[in-house]
Amino acid sequence: SRHIEDVVAECKKLVDDGYKQITLLGQNVNSYGLDLKDGPTLARLLEEVAKLGVPRLRFLTSYPSQFDDEMIDIMAKYDNIDKWLHFPVQSGSSSCLRRMARRYTREEYLERVAAIKKKIPDISLTTDIIVGFPGETEEEFQDTLSLAKEVGYSSAFTFIYSPRPGTPAAKME
């Protein structure tokens, strides 16, 4: 992670230069600060950048098990933080998620979505879904479809599983 002061200073310069949108980006943006001694949270960084007054602020990509109530509260508090969240589910089946080595279940994911929608009713959610993961059954696939209907995503990036050499999944049937 970069030090919060450096990120905020860079964002302030962008705002001063007239930029209208800033996106905080990371492979797993919720891990921000975990590698710094007494590091700040992503929620704190998001709030500090929101206070700069940029008209539109967004971030991606969030990992469901690390998306906490502090993040929801900060998103709800500032009008300039987009009421949009890319929230990858990958699968709507807990057993498939376990095989994917995700650190959340279907139920935990849906609990996070409910918490988000409670505090930000007009949120637009987008997601990533992988189908055909090794061992996926028809029932697991139907679980994914039912979760997508329940959440009501604005859009989804859907992918057919393809093996990546060197990954545990590449060795699965």
Side-chain angles (χ1 to χ4, degrees):
S1 301
R2 294 175 53 205
H3 292 282
I4 190 169
E5 298 82 12
D6 295 340
V7 176
V8 172
E10 182 178 341
C11 291
K12 181 173 182 347
K13 181 170 180 355
L14 294 171
V15 172
D16 291 346
D17 288 347
Y19 282 76
K20 303 295 182 203
Q21 179 174 315
I22 293 174
T23 302
L24 303 175
L25 177 65
Q27 180 67 26
N28 177 3
V29 74
N30 299 98
S31 294
Y32 174 77
L34 296 178
D35 57 337
L36 299 174
K37 183 177 180 169
D38 299 322
T41 63
L42 175 64
R44 180 167 161 232
L45 174 62
L46 192 64
E47 182 167 38
E48 292 303 315
V49 176
K51 287 178 184 178
L52 298 174
V54 65
R56 292 186 65 196
L57 177 59
R58 51 178 31 194
F59 59 94
L60 67 134
T61 292
S62 289
Y63 193 79
S65 67
Q66 293 178 318
F67 197 83
D68 60 18
D69 289 340
E70 183 183 20
M71 283 294 297
I72 299 168
D73 291 341
I74 296 299
M75 286 184 73
K77 181 177 179 180
Y78 292 91
D79 290 337
N80 60 338
I81 298 175
D82 277 1
K83 302 312 179 224
W84 166 82
L85 178 63
H86 188 68
F87 208 51
V89 69
Q90 308 300 349
S91 172
S93 160
S94 291
S95 54
C96 197
L97 288 167
R98 191 170 33 258
R99 285 195 308 283
M100 291 176 164
R102 306 294 176 193
R103 293 180 302 237
Y104 54 90
T105 64
R106 171 193 176 95
E107 294 74 25
E108 291 165 338
Y109 182 91
L110 289 171
E111 286 171 9
R112 285 289 76 202
V113 167
I116 293 164
K117 286 183 173 185
K118 181 177 182 182
K119 290 189 178 174
I120 312 169
D122 58 340
I123 189 110
S124 174
L125 295 172
T126 60
T127 197
D128 297 337
I129 295 172
I130 299 171
V131 297
F133 191 79
E136 184 180 52
T137 66
E138 179 63 27
E139 182 179 350
E140 290 171 328
F141 176 72
Q142 292 300 324
D143 285 346
T144 299
L145 292 179
S146 70
L147 181 137
K149 287 176 185 171
E150 182 173 341
V151 172
Y153 296 108
S154 298
S155 70
F157 295 98
T158 57
F159 306 92
I160 297 171
Y161 169 78
S162 59
R164 292 186 184 160
T167 63
K171 298 173 189 162
M172 295 178 182
E173 292 286 324

